[in-house]
Amino acid sequence: MRLARFSMNDAPRYAFVQKDPADGKDYLIELNGHPLAGDQVEPTGNRYPVDGDGIRLLAPVIPSKVYGLAKNYEAHAQFMHEAGHSEIAHAPENMVIFTKPSTSVIGPDDPIVYPACSKDMNFEPEVAVVMGRIAKNVPVEKAMDYVLGFTCVNDVTLRDLQGLDPTWTRAKGFDTSCPLGPWIVMRDDLDWRDAKISFTLNGEDVPMASGTTANLIHGIPEQIAAISSFSTLLPGDVIMTGTPNASGHLDPGDEAIVHVEGIGDLRNVIVRA
């Protein structure tokens, strides 16, 4: 099952996304409330084609906070070292956790705005976890019980500022730095232990950016347990699990597409501030 947030030039609405076997197209089955508000939601009876006129998919959630894991794949840690962005040649033993504010979140097809303060914007395709319940001090073995589902995320990073800012506040937290979407795939409908990640830039595959969550150093349950030990995770909060391999440069006008097998495509275009 897939959960989407969309607009028809009005207030955001929620819907389940279902494929019609008759024509093979995806349709939004509108819901009468907010699925993460704790209320029982039901279909309104309205159905809209995902690619219909006036339909705009939004970020599937607006989290109260976003956490990310840095260097959570050995291949990415080695890439960062070889590219001169890190003095450490291998992934650190302990988790490296950072945050992005809710104002960094955008949805599919929204523009990523290249700030004037940077000259080196990078893409980082990842799988994002969306929390479904309040989570505090959650043990590893119970962690997945608190997950609503998964979506695609591009952890857009200003690489030149990352080296200047020990907390990565500007490098990771600028407006539009956290594209999410296109929808949430429910927890039991994705093989999150081996989700395949890939990336295309201007229509060309970038093989060195691809990977699978099977190679995560710190797995998703461990991430949830660690973060919930110091921060209360709320429904809709997001954890970016890490980028699997090489990242790369983005320029104004570029089209960036994150693909996660079993979820779909997250497309954004970079524009000048």
Side-chain angles (χ1 to χ4, degrees):
M1 183 179 294
R2 294 171 288 170
L3 176 66
R5 183 169 165 265
F6 74 103
S7 170
M8 297 177 65
N9 298 317
D10 56 8
R13 313 182 196 188
Y14 290 86
F16 291 128
V17 183
Q18 293 183 354
K19 188 175 293 295
D20 190 328
D23 60 14
K25 294 183 178 181
D26 285 326
Y27 287 87
L28 298 164
I29 311 302
E30 185 182 19
L31 302 174
N32 64 358
H34 190 321
L36 289 172
D39 300 327
Q40 188 71 30
V41 295
E42 297 178 350
T44 64
N46 296 325
R47 188 181 89 149
Y48 309 100
V50 167
D51 59 357
D53 290 342
I55 299 293
R56 179 187 169 209
L57 289 180
L58 307 174
V61 289
I62 298 296
S64 74
K65 52 194 172 293
V66 177
Y67 285 105
L69 271 285
K71 301 177 185 176
N72 200 26
Y73 291 84
E74 177 63 19
H76 182 64
Q78 291 182 10
F79 163 79
M80 291 291 286
H81 176 68
E82 292 167 4
H85 300 306
S86 173
E87 296 180 357
I88 303 172
H90 298 283
E93 180 178 350
N94 296 320
M95 293 186 197
V96 178
I97 302 171
F98 62 91
T99 64
K100 288 181 184 266
S102 61
T103 49
S104 67
V105 173
I106 57 173
D109 296 318
D110 287 339
I112 299 170
V113 181
Y114 205 132
C117 60
S118 174
K119 292 181 174 58
D120 189 10
M121 176 184 281
N122 280 208
F123 58 79
E124 292 192 8
E126 307 185 14
V127 172
V129 178
V130 181
M131 303 303 296
R133 297 167 52 192
I134 296 174
K136 178 63 178 175
N137 292 324
V138 174
V140 171
E141 60 271 17
K142 297 286 188 181
M144 297 310 294
D145 294 343
Y146 293 80
V147 172
L148 175 67
F150 306 90
T151 192
C152 305
V153 62
N154 192 346
D155 174 20
V156 186
T157 302
L158 305 177
R159 198 67 75 197
D160 50 352
L161 296 189
Q162 187 174 15
L164 302 175
D165 229 341
T167 59
W168 300 351
T169 301
R170 292 178 296 167
K172 295 278 192 181
F174 65 95
D175 289 351
T176 74
S177 66
C178 189
L180 294 173
W183 38 59
I184 299 167
V185 171
M186 298 297 103
R187 177 191 62 208
D188 296 335
D189 294 328
L190 183 75
D191 181 6
W192 52 269
R193 294 180 179 86
D194 188 17
K196 308 293 192 303
I197 303 164
S198 57
F199 183 78
T200 65
L201 180 62
N202 299 324
E204 298 288 335
D205 289 337
V206 183
M208 282 301 294
S210 65
T212 167
T213 55
N215 294 328
L216 282 167
I217 295 170
H218 305 287
I220 291 171
E222 289 76 18
Q223 294 180 40
I224 295 168
I227 293 170
S228 72
S229 72
F230 67 83
S231 176
T232 301
L233 292 166
L234 303 179
D237 281 352
V238 167
I239 298 174
M240 304 183 302
T241 55
T243 197
N245 207 322
S247 59
H249 185 75
L250 293 169
D251 288 308
D254 283 349
E255 178 192 58
I257 300 179
V258 175
H259 177 78
V260 178
E261 186 176 297
I263 299 178
D265 294 332
L266 170 63
R267 173 190 178 274
N268 301 93
V269 172
I270 290 73
V271 300
R272 180 80 63 187

